[in-house]
Amino acid sequence: MTQSRPMLDFYFDFISPFGYLASLEVDGVATRHGWECRWNSMLVGVSVLKVMGMKALPEIPLKGAYLQREIARHCRRHGISLGRSTSAAPVNPVPAGRAFHWIAKNYTAELKPFARAILDAYWLEGKDISQISLLVEHFVRLIGDGPAFAAALTGGEGDVLLRKAVANSLDRGVFGSPFFLAAGEPFFGLDKMGQIDEWLGCGGW
Amino acid sequence: MTQSRPMLDFYFDFISPFGYLASLEVDGVATRHGWECRWNSMLVGVSVLKVMGMKALPEIPLKGAYLQREIARHCRRHGISLGRSTSAAPVNPVPAGRAFHWIAKNYTAELKPFARAILDAYWLEGKDISQISLLVEHFVRLIGDGPAFAAALTGGEGDVLLRKAVANSLDRGVFGSPFFLAAGEPFFGLDKMGQIDEWLGCGGW
């Protein structure tokens, strides 16, 4: 008889620096406490800009400049060398989001390695992850033949899957990146990692 | 020969729940590492609404509801029983801000006890701290005769001091409550308390 492990849902946008930094830690926190960690990609361009009616973070006076500094401080502390400027305009995250959700449906076991590769390509190597060719290249390397994958990105299938996933994330109250649901309990922000660690360890309060 | 201790500046708005929760911890963190902690009141109504062009947090879709839950969770964890609903409309924080900065100028040693009393009156007892009579009552109890104090709140002196203090906080990049400057290094949010603890302990990185 196996007992299913409780689920930590991790939500991120590929172009969110805080989402990337959280992706480096979240599996470790979940595993340490015997929780399963499921990755979910979302779009802050929908939640923050459209649903919440806010500006993009880098464009907010005072806060935008502060957040650049906060990211650099976190990276120094953790020995991370980003390959792109966090003040540069982000690329279009939609192709990577479509790729993510098509793989989630068709190659679940390969989802995290693929997502990690794309995150690293963007944040460490400074690559343009909006390029279909780059996504296919990683798919072929990690998973296999790429035609069906490439078709899903350019045709309607990836679009439908991504739209549905983003709608689901909004239904669950997810509004930022990173966002976490620990068996349903919501936590927002990279700064919550310590509190999540405590929550998983004791089962909540 | 005395060596001056490094300064942790703590910024808060009287009507900010996260500012209140931070006020309960910040002196302990500073003292533990031999830092001095200076309290500064600011107005999120100026920084967030006017300078940053954002909505008030409770009015932001998804995030507003989430933050209510986050505050309740923090309070459960720390055994704090708030005396007011965090979804209720805040009172006008300007009188308390004027009081704060007039006392900062004239009775520096009594500033923190006064600020703590007003914060507790608002957050634990659910009192209306926009009432001059309530502010004077606390002033008389903690400091002494109240006529000059009351005059500063209703006349122009408190107004000038508060406006100057808010302008100063914006000049220093302070945009939210709580906000911290550890010998100039900025930290935003209640969630930063752990990182500030580490920063003060090791002198930064």
Side-chain angles (χ1 to χ4, degrees), chain A residues 47 51-55 60-63 66 69-70 73-74 76-77 170 173-175 179 184-188 191-192 195 198-199 205, chain B residues 47 51-55 60-63 66 69-70 73-74 76-77 170 173-175 179 184-188 191-192 195 198-199 205:
Chain A
S47 62
V51 175
M52 299 162 79
M54 293 168 69
K55 286 180 261 199
I60 298 177
L62 300 177
K63 192 168 186 174
Y66 165 78
R69 185 163 179 163
E70 186 173 305
R73 183 168 63 207
H74 182 94
R76 287 201 308 278
R77 173 66 182 79
L170 293 168
V174 173
F175 58 83
F179 201 99
E185 180 73 17
F187 296 86
F188 168 58
D191 288 333
K192 285 296 187 308
Q195 195 178 104
E198 186 182 0
W199 184 274
W205 56 83
Chain B
S47 62
V51 176
M52 298 162 79
M54 294 169 68
K55 287 180 261 199
I60 299 177
L62 301 177
K63 191 168 186 174
Y66 165 78
R69 185 163 179 163
E70 185 172 305
R73 182 168 63 206
H74 183 94
R76 287 201 307 277
R77 173 68 183 76
L170 292 169
V174 173
F175 59 83
F179 201 99
E185 180 73 18
F187 296 87
F188 167 58
D191 288 334
K192 285 296 186 307
Q195 195 178 105
E198 186 181 0
W199 184 274
W205 57 82

Side-chain angles (χ1 to χ4, degrees), chain B residues 14-24 39 71 74-76 78-86 91 113 115-129 134 138 141:
Chain B
F14 281 97
I15 59 168
S16 154
F18 292 102
Y20 174 62
L21 298 173
S23 79
L24 304 175
W39 287 27
I71 294 164
H74 183 94
C75 287
R76 287 201 307 277
H78 294 270
I80 298 162
S81 235
L82 294 185
R84 71 167 38 244
S85 163
T86 49
V91 306
R116 284 198 192 95
I118 301 305
L119 284 165
D120 283 347
Y122 189 64
W123 288 108
L124 298 186
E125 298 155 29
K127 297 279 177 64
D128 179 357
I129 61 165
L134 177 139
H138 282 281
R141 183 172 61 81

Side-chain angles (χ1 to χ4, degrees), chain B residues 102-113:
Chain B
W102 190 84
I103 294 171
K105 186 185 168 196
N106 295 288
Y107 298 92
T108 314
E110 283 81 19
L111 183 62
K112 281 191 201 179

Side-chain angles (χ1 to χ4, degrees), chain B residues 169-185:
Chain B
S169 69
L170 292 169
D171 284 346
R172 298 190 78 186
V174 173
F175 59 83
S177 169
F179 201 99
F180 312 87
L181 290 169
E185 180 73 18

Side-chain angles (χ1 to χ4, degrees), chain A residues 66-149:
Chain A
Y66 165 78
L67 291 178
Q68 307 298 330
R69 185 163 179 163
E70 186 173 305
I71 294 163
R73 183 168 63 207
H74 182 94
C75 287
R76 287 201 308 278
R77 173 66 182 79
H78 294 270
I80 299 162
S81 236
L82 295 184
R84 71 166 40 244
S85 163
T86 50
S87 62
V91 307
N92 177 8
V94 165
R98 289 178 179 171
F100 181 91
H101 290 288
W102 191 84
I103 294 171
K105 185 185 168 195
N106 296 287
Y107 298 91
T108 315
E110 282 81 18
L111 183 62
K112 281 191 201 180
F114 177 84
R116 284 199 192 93
I118 301 305
L119 285 165
D120 283 347
Y122 189 64
W123 288 108
L124 297 187
E125 298 155 29
K127 297 279 178 65
D128 179 358
I129 61 166
S130 71
Q131 298 299 314
I132 305 288
S133 57
L134 178 139
L135 297 168
V136 169
E137 184 190 308
H138 282 281
F139 183 87
V140 169
R141 184 172 61 80
L142 292 166
I143 302 177
D145 266 2
F149 174 71

